[in-house]
Amino acid sequence: MIGMTPELENKLSRCSTLPSPPQVASELIELANVPDTEIQDVVKILQKDPALSLKILRVANSPMYANQRKIATLDQATLTIGLNGILALALSFSLVKSFRSEKTAGLDYPLFWKRAMISASISRAIGESCALICLEELFMATLIQDIGMLALDRAYPQLYADSTLDQAWHSRVVSHEQQSIGASHGSVGCWLLSRWNFPERLQMAVSTSDAPDRLAQTDDRLEFSRCVTLSGLIAELYLTKAKKERVMKVANQANEWLGMTAEAFTGILEKLEDAIAESEKLFDCHIHDEQTAELLLETAKETLLVRNMQAIQQVENLQYHTIMLESRYQNLEETSRLDSLTGAYNRSFLDDVIEATFQSAITNATSLSFLFVDLDNFKKLNDTYGHQTGDSILMAVGKTLKSQTRNTDFVGRYGGEEFFIIMPGVNTSMGAMVCERILNEFRRTTHDVGPDQSLIVTVSLGIATLEKGKGFQHFHEMIRAADKALYASKSGGRNRWTAFHSLSPSDTVQSTT
């Protein structure tokens, strides 16, 4: 088990007072691990607990699902929320009902409970911002992310009794645990959920709840785990009435982890008060402080306004460097730079700009993206409609790519039907938006190939990004990375884009259709 010493595992295994799930929860966990679980199997278990069934129906009829008609049965609720969603919600309610009666030693249980509820309350807004579809599972993971603290409090009654420990600050709690027992409650929580046979993704989310980047950049559980961690950080802002510096740090972390803009982060905080109020109804508890929520939102707005001003300054600096870069080529004749057919830059000019932009990004610690664009099935198009039609389409491609990029970007013909785009200042999230924009434009653009005859030509994309001047040692390495990403798009079915993760030791790619 990650982060668990044999001594600690032995100590926990011999502890007879560890928290345990109630019978209904145990049966639901068992079902969650069955691939072909039927709705009726879940309904039978829920019917054993009328209070739990009522809560599920309340969720199905809540504004979360915006149903036009009232949901009256568990079967209807399951169809509305989905089988996995029902299992996650039922487990959440069942576990909360059990753990709210826990007696603790040194653990500040009211604070523990508030953090759990606030984290879970805001998780849906975070998940929606990241376009996750497993929102109920995210709710459960955020709710139980600190469950290891309950186990440690039982096994080590004096662990959290230290009067100098401020339990509201989770980083201090984790540091205290590491110094005292050589492990954190995240590892213990993972161990506990493993004993209960919880799904593996939930185990990992709990294990990494205080350090999600222990997962590889290519791990498909990373975004889910980062959402869990962010929910806890936002709960901490609320509980500690955090100052501007701390709000800025969490907002920056949300941007780094999830590509979340300042506006999106503020939007999540705007939903916090209503989200907590809804959770209070569902769990029959009171944790809300209206003044605290409003104060946090105002602090965030003021703080992130300053960050936006700083970002504008950075953009201005970047524009200055771009202008300086372009001035290096002002003595070249325009005709010597351009491809005669497409009007895009030619390969010779591209080679010079590639090296210059790469060195500029390294020197100034700015972002840079290289994007390969390859026309799908172009040889077949040439064979079918002739080279004159093919040339006409290549000319249109050059114009389309220019229309979908900035004036500061360099669009060039790399060879044949392959184009290359150099995008100074474009980071990973911005690059993803450019790829989506280009794909969508090609998907809706038609080309005349004969009398009353037209067709759509799609493209495959491969992108590699240098983040803040880091990730690649040489521009040749970055070009190869973008080429590998392009190959993945083509071999994956074409008409899609693939991002190469430069920091991955296994050179893995992430493909999006």
Side-chain angles (χ1 to χ4, degrees), residues 247-257 260 265 304 307:
V247 173
M248 174 74 84
K249 184 176 181 179
V250 175
N252 287 338
Q253 193 70 78
N255 177 261
E256 179 183 338
W257 281 345
M260 193 176 292
F265 184 77
L304 296 178
R307 192 180 84 171

Side-chain angles (χ1 to χ4, degrees), residues 98-322:
S98 172
F99 296 149
R100 283 179 69 178
S101 61
E102 288 285 328
K103 296 185 181 299
T104 59
L107 183 64
D108 185 342
Y109 191 65
L111 179 64
F112 172 90
W113 175 244
K114 281 186 177 182
R115 187 179 195 273
M117 291 303 303
I118 295 169
S119 298
S121 298
I122 201 58
S123 64
R124 189 178 188 90
I126 296 173
E128 288 173 343
S129 176
C130 297
L132 295 185
I133 59 174
C134 48
L135 299 180
E136 285 74 25
E137 188 177 352
L138 180 62
F139 179 92
M140 179 168 62
T142 55
L143 185 69
I144 62 173
Q145 61 180 295
D146 297 324
I147 196 172
M149 295 177 72
L150 293 177
L152 286 174
D153 189 61
R154 292 297 184 84
Y156 299 89
Q158 298 304 310
L159 178 61
Y160 301 113
D162 188 337
S163 60
T164 64
L165 175 62
D166 187 347
Q167 297 181 29
W169 294 97
H170 236 50
S171 58
R172 299 175 188 175
V173 170
V174 171
S175 177
H176 177 73
E177 292 167 345
Q178 291 283 4
Q179 292 175 9
S180 301
I181 60 172
S184 71
H185 64 268
S187 300
V188 175
C190 178
W191 174 84
L192 198 61
L193 296 186
S194 176
R195 283 167 59 98
W196 296 349
N197 203 29
F198 259 68
E200 192 272 341
R201 181 161 75 161
L202 289 176
Q203 294 181 37
M204 187 54 62
V206 169
S207 173
T208 59
S209 60
D210 288 301
D213 286 343
R214 289 210 305 263
L215 294 173
Q217 295 293 312
T218 53
D219 195 314
D220 58 9
R221 301 166 300 182
L222 180 59
E223 185 178 40
F224 184 88
S225 293
R226 284 174 168 175
C227 287
V228 171
T229 306
L230 181 60
S231 74
L233 294 177
I234 291 177
E236 189 173 275
L237 293 179
Y238 182 97
L239 292 169
T240 60
K241 296 180 173 60
K243 303 300 182 183
K244 295 178 183 179
E245 294 78 9
R246 183 63 183 173
V247 173
M248 174 74 84
K249 184 176 181 179
V250 175
N252 287 338
Q253 193 70 78
N255 177 261
E256 179 183 338
W257 281 345
L258 304 169
M260 193 176 292
T261 64
E263 291 76 15
F265 184 77
T266 304
I268 286 174
L269 296 185
E270 287 176 341
K271 298 176 182 179
L272 181 58
E273 185 174 345
D274 290 340
I276 293 176
E278 186 64 30
S279 292
E280 287 178 330
K281 292 178 184 177
L282 294 175
F283 290 95
D284 301 319
C285 63
H286 179 72
I287 55 175
H288 182 42
D289 180 346
E290 182 176 345
Q291 185 177 4
T292 298
E294 292 177 354
L295 179 62
L296 175 58
L297 179 57
E298 289 305 313
T299 302
K301 287 181 176 179
E302 182 180 345
T303 302
L304 296 178
L305 175 62
V306 173
R307 192 180 84 171
N308 282 343
M309 293 175 65
Q310 293 172 339
I312 291 172
Q313 182 63 49
Q314 291 174 352
V315 170
E316 291 176 348
N317 291 339
L318 177 61
Q319 290 173 339
Y320 169 76
H321 290 305
T322 301

Side-chain angles (χ1 to χ4, degrees), residues 223-451:
E223 185 178 40
F224 184 88
S225 293
R226 284 174 168 175
C227 287
V228 171
T229 306
L230 181 60
S231 74
L233 294 177
I234 291 177
E236 189 173 275
L237 293 179
Y238 182 97
L239 292 169
T240 60
K241 296 180 173 60
K243 303 300 182 183
K244 295 178 183 179
E245 294 78 9
R246 183 63 183 173
V247 173
M248 174 74 84
K249 184 176 181 179
V250 175
N252 287 338
Q253 193 70 78
N255 177 261
E256 179 183 338
W257 281 345
L258 304 169
M260 193 176 292
T261 64
E263 291 76 15
F265 184 77
T266 304
I268 286 174
L269 296 185
E270 287 176 341
K271 298 176 182 179
L272 181 58
E273 185 174 345
D274 290 340
I276 293 176
E278 186 64 30
S279 292
E280 287 178 330
K281 292 178 184 177
L282 294 175
F283 290 95
D284 301 319
C285 63
H286 179 72
I287 55 175
H288 182 42
D289 180 346
E290 182 176 345
Q291 185 177 4
T292 298
E294 292 177 354
L295 179 62
L296 175 58
L297 179 57
E298 289 305 313
T299 302
K301 287 181 176 179
E302 182 180 345
T303 302
L304 296 178
L305 175 62
V306 173
R307 192 180 84 171
N308 282 343
M309 293 175 65
Q310 293 172 339
I312 291 172
Q313 182 63 49
Q314 291 174 352
V315 170
E316 291 176 348
N317 291 339
L318 177 61
Q319 290 173 339
Y320 169 76
H321 290 305
T322 301
I323 292 171
M324 294 298 294
L325 176 67
E326 290 177 331
S327 69
R328 295 180 57 183
Y329 305 98
Q330 63 185 356
N331 295 326
L332 295 175
E333 292 293 336
E334 188 66 17
T335 53
S336 69
R337 303 179 181 184
L338 302 181
D339 174 65
S340 59
L341 176 63
T342 64
Y345 290 116
N346 58 33
R347 175 65 181 273
S348 176
F349 180 75
L350 276 180
D351 288 342
D352 290 336
V353 179
I354 286 171
E355 182 174 1
T357 52
F358 183 90
Q359 292 303 324
S360 176
I362 293 292
T363 301
N364 298 297
T366 56
S367 297
L368 171 68
S369 288
F370 288 169
L371 176 63
F372 270 112
V373 182
D374 189 77
L375 274 68
D376 294 332
N377 302 310
F378 186 72
K379 183 179 184 302
K380 182 178 179 181
L381 185 150
N382 260 337
D383 293 341
T384 304
Y385 299 102
H387 289 282
Q388 186 173 355
T389 297
D391 288 348
S392 176
I393 288 175
L394 286 173
M395 292 168 63
V397 169
K399 292 179 181 178
T400 298
L401 293 177
K402 289 179 183 178
S403 72
Q404 299 304 308
T405 52
R406 308 167 302 176
N407 292 334
T408 53
D409 297 332
F410 298 86
V411 178
R413 186 180 182 189
Y414 205 72
E417 68 271 20
E418 197 172 62
F419 291 76
F420 192 89
I421 305 176
I422 304 165
M423 298 181 286
V426 171
N427 60 24
T428 300
S429 59
M430 294 166 65
M433 289 188 288
V434 173
C435 289
E436 291 289 347
R437 189 164 64 239
I438 290 174
L439 278 182
N440 290 331
E441 184 63 20
F442 275 90
R443 288 166 179 166
R444 60 174 171 256
T445 300
T446 58
H447 303 270
D448 294 329
V449 294

